């Protein structure tokens, strides 16, 4: 007996699905206890269908979603179109007609996840999405199945391959942001509008999903502070290196005494931190917990085969559960009331880069501002920066978001001071 | 309703189990759908029982295994005594009396696993052992649940914390093997007889278990070539660094065209390989596969809480399956006939360190020996080594085990040559 599936979309990732179903067929059949058969593939229009057939793809391509929804033989619908619509409508209709759904659509899940989970639960069908976070890294299933015994205190993630590729070029080769972006676009890693990648939007979507699995809390996308890598200069990168750090776009989700704090921002990582060696388009999720302590899950965050591997693992899981007659339980069962952290409980060290006129009293005034907020400093470094100006770089000890807000306002209130950058520093 | 469990042994790891059951109780209950209650703990004798009670441990300690086997209320037996006997007898009796078993006993599983799996299957009970490989890293469940869609081609693992701690000291601080061992013993990482750790025996046990999950093949412990770190000298370590490598004790399991090749040996890792930054007592498993490509799973390989986290995750899994009425399926369901690789299909680059008299014709003779075996060289380095002698260091291109055997015999046949060390080199 075979389990029949339909694919929605036949782009890069989707075409990796038949590849793996064929290459790993023996292993898959052992795990799934059934054969898995792609019986229909939804494409945009007749032109795409013709083009794919001409390329030698021998699937039953259809252009009307009803051909899939009304086909009672199809048990699993695999959505790989991306974006919000029509994916949301198609997934909703599939779930409502009793079909299980596998998707890699993080944008959709981060914003409309709760709504879709409810529809899945009501119809007693599965909605799995391992590929939505960190592509080929099986992090969601690991959090759901293996960290059941543990209490996670913080998650740190390098979750966006494009920005990590760019930061790697900026750190290892001294490239500017603009040069790194141009290269990422040339290689097809970044789109012509790179906003989602470079401004931390994509990583923030993933942080929303990780929060559910790691902390049982569903937070809104708007609750994830996000700041991208656009303002990182070669000077910041080189100062970071002098101080013993590398800069990466890091998502952090932390449970404080008052609740959850989630943030995506360029972050100073100590050079010997396991995340510091995650280079190029690779992703990693670093987990801090009371049981295991420190663990890290590393792998490709995107790409045809890695993403398809996660998608097919979800398909196998559902097929196996159909065989065991246990299908329908949520992908993530950990759930607690969501609570956001108070500003004074969100703590970190910070790097400040400030331009001042080259006069000794300027430094004194700067120090007084930090002193007034009771912020202790770990490293201070002053360098000539152009004519009659100096750049003062400060790495603080731990401070909280209220102190950060106050000191930033104070610094910006002084006309002579130009705040170049303020970035999080881990490990202080 | 609660699920009742018994612990066999109450050493370091075992005492971490009640800690996690308490600290993560809310989360555990959501995942397990039941409370989990430790109702009996087997200890060696009355003296140990008295000592534990005096220390404030309030468990129902028993000294007779029959008190647990004959207690029909106990659903899960957790074996944390270690070694082969009496653990093997106790586990066998527990399985035969219809109890599910969780264990961290890699020695036992590597040698008698097949026998125990059969008893578990016959009695339709679970036998789980996530903690047996790489302690706190949930690698076995990840291989069993997430790599179902993928075809693994090679596994590389830093699987022994003690030897990795020692190698880290030898690489980063230039310590000798003896100094590193003394420190490991002082810190309690190494036993007074360190054989299992430093000779690769422990890592080879883990390689046997990993082979089952990653390749579906059950190989014998004797089929894993193992060589330890005793013969690594500061000269080897410093030469490796000059050549761009770090030396670590690495387990590799690879599927070649003729079958599986498993080996534990000190290995040259390129400095930028993700495994190269796994330092101290940390472990990591690096997976190469046709779908995901390269992924790595990093974390503590031992220790009370990390190991207990894996043990409790297994307990939760069984409890959940009892609730879902799906208990009894094997931890690993992937199974193919085992086939061992032929010597000519096992390929790697190698490092040769050879002592010769300080005469030019010696080097020529050396080169002729490699030439005769059609072995191509990548790097050759000659250094003065004491009076009238030189050390010649060679990093080869890829060769197979037959070539390795032949060239080694030829080198050893020359009286003037002293082979200091031959080590695997990855990434060439």
């Amino acid at each position: 007996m075979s389990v029949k599936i339909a694919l929605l979309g036949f782009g890069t990732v989707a075409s990796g699905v038949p590849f793996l179903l064929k290459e790993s067929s023996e292993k898959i059949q052992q795990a799934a206890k059934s054969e898995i058969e792609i019986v229909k593939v939804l494409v945009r229009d007749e032109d795409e269908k013709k083009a794919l057939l001409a390329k030698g793809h021998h699937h039953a391509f259809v252009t009307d979603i009803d051909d899939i929804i009304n086909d009672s033989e199809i048990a699993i619908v695999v959505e790989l179109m991306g974006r919000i619509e029509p994916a949301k409508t198609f997934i909703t209709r599939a779930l409502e007609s009793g079909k299980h759904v596998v998707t890699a659509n993080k944008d959709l899940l981060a914003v409309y996840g709760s709504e879709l989970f409810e529809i899945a639960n009501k119809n007693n069908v599965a909605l799995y999405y391992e590929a939505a976070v960190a592509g080929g890294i099986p992090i969601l299933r690991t959090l759901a199945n293996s960290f059941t015994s543990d209490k996670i205190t913080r998650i740190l993630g390098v979750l966006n391959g494009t920005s990590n590729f760019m930061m790697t070029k900026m750190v290892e080769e001294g490239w500017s942001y603009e040069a790194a972006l141009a290269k990422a676009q040339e290689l097809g890693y970044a789109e012509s509008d790179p906003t989602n990648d470079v401004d931390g939007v994509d990583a923030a979507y993933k942080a929303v999903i990780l929060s559910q699995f790691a902390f049982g809390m569903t937070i809104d996308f708007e609750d994830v502070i996000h700041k991208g890598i656009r303002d990182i200069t070669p000077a910041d990168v080189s100062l970071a290196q002098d101080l013993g750090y590398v800069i990466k776009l890091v998502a952090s989700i932390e449970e404080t005494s008052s609740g959850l704090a989630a943030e995506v921002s360029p972050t100073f990582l100590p050079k010997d931190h396991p995340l510091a060696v995650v280079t190029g388009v690779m992703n990693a999720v670093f987990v801090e917990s009371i049981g295991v302590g420190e663990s890290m899950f590393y792998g490709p965050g995107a790409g045809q085969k890695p993403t398809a591997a996660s998608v097919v693992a979800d398909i196998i899981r559902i097929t196996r559960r159909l065989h065991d007659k246990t299908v329908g339980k949520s992908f993530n069962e950990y759930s607690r009331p969501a609570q956001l952290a108070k500003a004074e409980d969100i703590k970190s060290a910070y790097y400040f880069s400030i331009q001042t006129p080259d006069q000794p009293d300027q430094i004194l005034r700067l120090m007084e501002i930090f002193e007034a907020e009771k912020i202790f400093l770990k490293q201070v470094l002053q360098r000539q920066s152009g004519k009659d100006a100096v750049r003062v770089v400060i790495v603080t000890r731990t401070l909280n978001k209220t102190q950060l807000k106050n000191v930033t306002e104070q610094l910006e209130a002084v006309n002579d001071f130009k705040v170049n950058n303020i970035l999080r520093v881990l490990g202080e």
Side-chain angles (χ1 to χ4, degrees), chain A:
Chain A
M1 218 213 52
S2 78
V3 169
K4 292 176 174 50
I5 71 173
L7 308 183
L8 309 188
F10 201 73
T12 312
V13 172
S15 56
V17 173
F19 167 82
L20 282 176
L21 286 178
K22 182 158 174 281
E23 285 297 315
S24 308
S25 59
E26 186 201 5
K27 188 175 180 184
I28 289 175
Q29 211 170 328
Q30 280 200 20
K33 304 277 172 192
S34 308
E35 261 186 77
I36 295 167
E37 198 188 337
I38 301 172
V39 294
K40 276 175 193 169
V41 176
L42 181 75
V43 293
R44 266 188 312 276
D45 50 32
E46 289 296 329
D47 288 349
E48 191 184 3
K49 179 173 164 176
K50 268 178 213 152
L52 287 166
L53 288 170
K55 274 193 204 156
H57 293 290
H58 296 300
H59 295 290
F61 293 106
V62 300
T63 55
D64 185 348
I65 184 71
D66 287 339
D67 284 344
I68 289 168
I69 301 293
N70 298 332
D71 185 338
S72 62
E73 290 218 312
I74 293 171
I76 305 172
V77 169
V78 181
E79 185 274 312
L80 295 165
M81 312 162 69
R83 321 241 162 178
I84 303 296
E85 283 297 350
K88 180 166 177 271
T89 301
F90 291 177
I91 289 177
T92 303
R93 290 191 58 199
L95 295 171
E96 285 175 345
S97 64
K99 298 187 193 309
H100 310 286
V101 170
V102 173
T103 175
N105 196 326
K106 62 196 159 294
D107 311 28
L108 179 59
L109 290 162
V111 182
Y112 297 101
S114 302
E115 185 183 330
L116 295 172
F117 304 152
E118 212 180 299
I119 298 170
N121 282 341
K122 201 180 291 174
N123 291 280
N124 202 32
V125 290
L127 173 58
Y128 287 178
Y129 44 94
E130 177 67 82
V133 176
I137 310 175
I139 184 64
L140 298 183
R141 186 153 284 122
T142 299
L143 291 172
N145 289 350
S146 294
F147 279 88
T148 43
S149 58
D150 207 346
K151 193 187 273 180
I152 294 172
T153 50
R154 183 162 71 167
I155 294 260
L156 299 171
V158 173
L159 300 176
N160 182 268
T162 306
S163 59
N164 199 50
F165 168 82
M166 290 171 59
M167 283 307 312
T168 302
K169 288 289 175 198
M170 290 161 71
V171 169
E172 291 182 0
E173 327 246 355
W175 290 14
S176 68
Y177 167 83
E178 291 74 19
L181 177 59
K183 189 68 177 178
Q185 286 172 327
E186 182 194 322
L187 293 173
Y189 297 151
E191 297 178 56
S192 54
D193 174 3
T195 306
N196 271 17
D197 290 324
V198 301
D199 289 342
V201 175
D202 172 79
Y205 284 141
K206 292 165 181 168
V208 169
I209 298 172
L210 280 174
S211 300
Q212 295 166 339
F213 283 75
F215 299 96
M217 294 194 196
T218 296
I219 57 174
D220 291 334
F221 171 73
E222 287 71 28
D223 296 327
V224 184
I225 297 168
H226 66 273
K227 178 188 157 113
I229 60 170
R230 280 185 207 262
D231 299 334
I232 306 294
T233 64
D236 293 319
V237 169
S238 117
L239 282 161
Q241 282 182 317
D242 291 351
L243 296 164
Y245 301 91
V246 292
I247 309 180
K248 288 193 173 293
L249 185 67
V250 174
S252 76
I253 315 161
E254 185 175 5
E255 186 167 0
T256 74
S257 56
S258 55
L260 215 60
E263 176 170 347
V264 174
S265 57
T267 302
F268 275 44
L269 287 170
K271 274 181 188 162
D272 59 357
H273 192 283
L275 280 179
V277 297
V278 178
T279 55
V281 294
M282 298 306 270
N283 280 15
V285 179
F286 188 83
V287 180
E288 296 173 7
S289 59
I290 63 162
V292 174
E294 296 187 341
S295 52
M296 187 172 82
F297 305 86
Y298 163 96
Q304 179 188 44
K305 288 176 196 169
T307 311
S310 288
V311 166
V312 176
D314 280 348
I315 296 170
I316 292 168
R317 194 79 180 159
I318 292 174
T319 305
R320 177 53 192 254
R321 288 190 170 279
L322 285 169
H323 175 271
D324 288 347
K325 300 192 180 14
T326 54
V327 83
K329 97 179 174 120
S330 299
F331 191 19
N332 170 44
E333 298 192 298
Y334 184 28
S335 172
R336 294 186 292 162
Q339 196 120 32
L340 293 175
K342 292 183 189 147
E344 58 265 35
D345 291 333
I346 309 175
K347 290 170 189 164
S348 177
Y350 285 89
Y351 154 94
F352 289 79
S353 168
I354 301 152
Q355 202 89 358
T356 81
D358 189 5
Q359 296 159 17
D361 61 324
Q362 300 291 335
I363 311 289
L364 177 64
R365 283 168 64 200
L366 202 52
M367 293 298 116
E368 283 169 351
I369 292 176
F370 282 88
E371 175 72 22
E373 280 299 322
K374 296 194 174 22
I375 295 169
F376 298 98
L377 310 183
K378 196 192 169 200
Q379 297 195 60
V380 181
L381 201 143
Q382 178 186 327
R383 281 186 186 174
Q384 194 69 30
S385 171
K387 211 165 79 93
D388 304 327
V390 293
R391 178 197 288 264
V392 181
V393 170
I394 293 167
V395 174
T396 69
R397 302 270 178 196
T398 301
L399 53 125
N400 66 44
K401 286 272 182 191
T402 309
Q403 288 173 300
L404 178 68
K405 183 165 169 282
N406 292 345
V407 79
T408 307
E409 281 170 6
Q410 300 265 343
L411 290 170
E412 283 168 351
V414 181
N415 272 336
D416 280 353
F417 293 167
K418 185 177 167 283
V419 178
N420 293 322
N421 233 329
I422 301 175
L423 300 171
R424 272 194 309 176
V425 177
L426 278 188
E428 296 308 326

